[in-house]
Amino acid sequence: MLAGNPTGDSYVIHFPQGDAGGPCIYSGTARYLINGGGTLTLQVLADCGKLRRGYSYMICNLDANLRCKEPPWWYFRDRTYIITKEGVAINGSAPIPWPDATEAPQLLQNMSEKIKALNERISQITAPNTVRGRSISCREFHPESKSYRIWEFPSTCLIKSACDGMPNLDSMRDGNPIDWNSSAGAFVKKQSKATDFSNWLCWSRAQ
């Protein structure tokens, strides 16, 4: 998005006394936030006529060291985000400052402790019955309804017959795209039983 340029949509509310809103123009205002569960998010503000609209884009889930532990979602592929007390640095750039830089160090420390406690609690709940490993996540776009379907393909199996053709994903990092000509791509094609993959996007992630 470029400041002063259309975002590509409109936002209109019909009031009894007339309509408000119109084409959305990017205001040039955006900020990075870490939500309660450790989600790194980019929030963008647009002016739609007399209305303001906020766009919120999820980048990734953070671990206790405030590093992305799950794939950058489809808007932010091939970018590395580094969280510091000064702000968010992208691909080694100068940090983009937090909304309130004076409070950032304490907020980041509190967030790190919350993420660590949350992860420990989840691991204690799931540890006895969970087989750890990697999985393949896919997003299938449906143009006719402009909607998405999300697929999950675990790389561990409890039934031996379900393991047939299962790829080894150990060498893949979170967010690495799946090559359709690889064993992982062949596995997705077989498991999904779909015939057209032109609107699919798949990547590796930790379970």
Side-chain angles (χ1 to χ4, degrees):
M1 290 182 180
L2 296 175
N5 285 22
T7 63
D9 64 356
S10 298
Y11 190 44
V12 179
I13 297 180
H14 303 291
F15 293 104
Q17 64 271 29
D19 296 344
C24 295
I25 307 296
Y26 174 41
S27 66
T29 301
R31 63 179 181 172
Y32 288 98
L33 291 175
I34 302 177
N35 295 338
T39 303
L40 178 62
T41 302
L42 173 65
Q43 290 188 341
V44 176
L45 193 63
D47 297 314
C48 309
K50 296 178 182 178
L51 298 172
R52 290 201 150 186
R53 177 174 182 180
Y55 295 80
S56 185
Y57 298 101
M58 176 183 176
I59 297 171
C60 65
N61 286 327
L62 298 170
D63 62 16
N65 296 316
L66 301 179
R67 294 185 178 275
C68 287
K69 69 171 182 175
E70 289 196 359
W73 300 78
W74 17 93
Y75 304 111
F76 301 103
R77 169 165 295 175
D78 299 327
R79 297 185 189 180
T80 301
Y81 291 82
I82 300 174
I83 313 301
T84 70
K85 61 183 179 182
E86 285 80 27
V88 179
I90 306 167
N91 290 348
S93 66
I96 299 165
W98 295 107
D100 189 339
T102 58
E103 295 181 5
Q106 187 61 48
L107 290 173
L108 289 178
Q109 184 177 341
N110 293 345
M111 183 58 66
S112 178
E113 291 170 358
K114 283 183 182 178
I115 294 171
K116 184 178 179 183
L118 179 66
N119 290 346
E120 287 176 352
R121 192 162 66 247
I122 290 173
S123 66
Q124 288 172 359
I125 294 170
T126 60
N129 303 311
T130 302
V131 180
R132 297 281 174 193
R134 307 196 67 79
S135 66
I136 299 172
S137 294
C138 296
R139 178 196 67 171
E140 179 190 7
F141 178 59
H142 295 274
E144 64 284 352
S145 60
K146 294 183 179 177
S147 62
Y148 295 96
R149 177 178 176 182
I150 303 299
W151 296 74
E152 287 286 337
F153 302 98
S155 65
T156 54
C157 55
L158 299 176
I159 304 171
K160 191 171 182 180
S161 60
C163 298
D164 186 32
M166 184 168 292
N168 187 333
L169 304 175
D170 292 345
S171 63
M172 297 192 73
R173 295 175 56 198
D174 282 352
N176 278 9
I178 299 298
D179 181 355
W180 290 115
N181 295 319
S182 67
S183 59
F187 180 68
V188 168
K189 290 178 180 179
K190 180 180 178 181
Q191 294 295 314
S192 67
K193 297 182 173 60
T195 55
D196 181 7
F197 294 91
S198 57
N199 289 318
W200 282 58
L201 179 67
C202 299
W203 62 94
S204 168
R205 65 183 292 267
Q207 288 180 291

